[in-house]
Amino acid sequence: MKKSNFSSITVSLLAIVCIALIINIAKSYIIPLINGTIADLPQGKIYTIDDVPKEIQELIDFEDEKYAYSQLSDNMKEAYRRLLMGVCSYADRVDIKECDLTLEELKTVYSCMRNDYPELFWVFNNCEVYSSGIKVTDCLPEYIYSEKDMIKHASDLNTIKDAILKKVDGMSEYEKVMFVFDYLIDNTEYDMSSYNDYMEGEVTAQLELACGIYGTLMGSKALCEGYSKTTQFLLNNMDIDCLYITGTSKGEGHAWNYVKLDGSYYALDVTWCDPRGEDDVKSYAYCLLDYASFARSHTEDVPYELPLCNGGKYNYYSYNGYALSTFNYKDIKAMLYRAYVEGRSFVEIYCTSQTVYDSFVTALSSQDIFQCFEEIKELSGKNYNTINYGLIDDAWTIRINL
């Protein structure tokens, strides 16, 4: 039997580039005070919604309380609100002295704001700060685009957002999630050029684009941050609670999402499901998993407590009848047959335990597995003398080409 290298392709190039951007969120440069006063620095303005351009107001929902924001203390929430209104107003400086924050607390606030609002595509991950003793008094945001370009790009995003929302009208929540999943994979290319720039230590304009919603939706190229933020942006606009999660996978920085369906959270990694290399077929191995399954390949690293991720009903494989709970040839045969009748060129079968997965992998090297192809052989006229398959070990999933 011929074993494909699907497994190695799947796990090797999965948005490793995010490590620097995740680690450097709110990287701050302390500008010390001179004799306890801020030289030539006027009293900072407190920005409000009235200062925010209408295009940004159309892009961002300022009404709903966001998840990371809800985890903060009262003074950190006040700093968060000031920062949000400030960057949305394209402020040069945001006064937060009354919030009484240390630098570490400001880093947490800045990270929470960035994680809650994927719409902030014009805001750098870095910022400068002024401090008095151990307390931060002012934050100086850094921007990727000019204010004019920010407004123009926001208008472009509003147009594409409205067009996408029309396509999901009348769909169930699960159908909306799968629409976004398919839309991003079908219309987005993993940006290998930006990945290579990162590997060479270069932070380019294209790299910044690939890590945000503008570059993903308008440029059709993304890295893990772009995939995950765009998933969050679209689903939140479909009234589906979606969180942006950062962490590591196999020792590298990465980003993904938690999605809430029927009151329960599921883990979703669109990046890892987008094909590249010679296996140009999307996978569902990281689509709507519970935390226990997801934790085999992902480790969270955010500065606040995350909700319990224990959804089971909408796991892609369970919901669509491709989950194998006990190893037996009868169920495998039925899944292969159904996939073929549905017009699939391959089938991915998820094993609900390590024991089932190991039994299945062993069977792929035996002659007994060929009995599962008898009905397909009659329908297709193919000879199935060999079986082309791929293994996704950390997801207990086996892909078999039909």
Side-chain angles (χ1 to χ4, degrees), residues 66-263:
K66 304 298 184 181
Y67 182 82
Y69 171 86
S70 72
Q71 306 298 301
L72 298 174
S73 63
D74 289 343
N75 63 324
M76 294 172 82
K77 286 180 178 178
E78 176 60 26
Y80 178 115
R81 290 191 293 267
R82 291 190 182 194
L83 283 169
L84 180 62
M85 287 296 110
V87 298
C88 289
S89 303
Y90 210 83
D92 294 325
R93 180 169 69 93
V94 180
D95 188 334
I96 57 171
K97 63 176 64 69
E98 295 175 358
C99 301
D100 197 35
L101 300 185
T102 65
L103 177 60
E104 290 305 313
E105 288 172 330
L106 175 61
K107 286 182 178 181
T108 296
V109 169
Y110 199 85
S111 179
C112 287
M113 180 188 73
R114 296 277 303 177
N115 287 3
D116 278 342
Y117 286 96
E119 296 90 344
L120 302 178
F121 64 88
W122 65 94
V123 183
F124 266 119
N125 283 337
N126 298 347
C127 67
E128 294 183 347
V129 302
Y130 287 94
S131 66
S132 176
I134 64 170
K135 301 296 183 180
V136 177
T137 61
D138 298 84
C139 178
L140 286 67
E142 298 181 22
Y143 301 113
I144 300 171
Y145 303 105
S146 67
E147 184 174 8
K148 180 180 179 181
D149 284 342
M150 172 193 75
I151 292 172
K152 179 183 182 301
H153 294 341
S155 179
D156 293 337
L157 285 169
N158 284 322
T159 298
I160 193 169
K161 175 189 71 175
D162 292 342
I164 291 173
L165 291 180
K166 287 181 181 179
K167 295 180 179 181
V168 301
D169 187 41
M171 290 185 182
S172 67
E173 286 189 340
Y174 173 80
E175 289 171 335
K176 289 177 180 178
V177 172
M178 294 311 302
F179 175 88
V180 170
F181 177 89
D182 290 333
Y183 180 88
L184 287 177
I185 290 178
D186 293 344
N187 293 279
T188 309
E189 177 186 350
Y190 186 84
D191 193 348
M192 288 303 303
S193 176
S194 290
Y195 170 80
N196 291 332
D197 287 340
Y198 167 75
M199 294 302 292
E200 294 173 3
E202 298 182 24
V203 179
T204 63
Q206 179 56 38
L207 176 59
E208 293 291 347
L209 277 173
C211 290
I213 66 171
Y214 184 77
T216 303
L217 288 173
M218 306 303 295
S220 300
K221 289 188 176 183
L223 298 173
C224 66
E225 191 172 351
Y227 280 98
S228 302
K229 286 185 175 180
T230 307
T231 299
Q232 180 189 27
F233 169 64
L234 293 176
L235 289 181
N236 284 347
N237 275 283
M238 296 173 187
D239 297 321
I240 296 174
D241 189 14
C242 181
L243 308 181
Y244 174 77
I245 312 295
T246 57
T248 59
S249 185
K250 300 187 183 299
E252 303 290 351
H254 196 49
W256 58 91
N257 301 100
Y258 276 4
V259 180
K260 194 174 187 179
L261 292 172
D262 283 353

Side-chain angles (χ1 to χ4, degrees), residues 52-62 154-155 158 161-162 237:
V52 178
K54 65 178 180 64
E55 291 84 359
I56 302 300
Q57 293 189 39
E58 292 172 6
L59 183 67
I60 298 178
D61 179 7
F62 293 103
S155 179
N158 284 322
K161 175 189 71 175
D162 292 342
N237 275 283

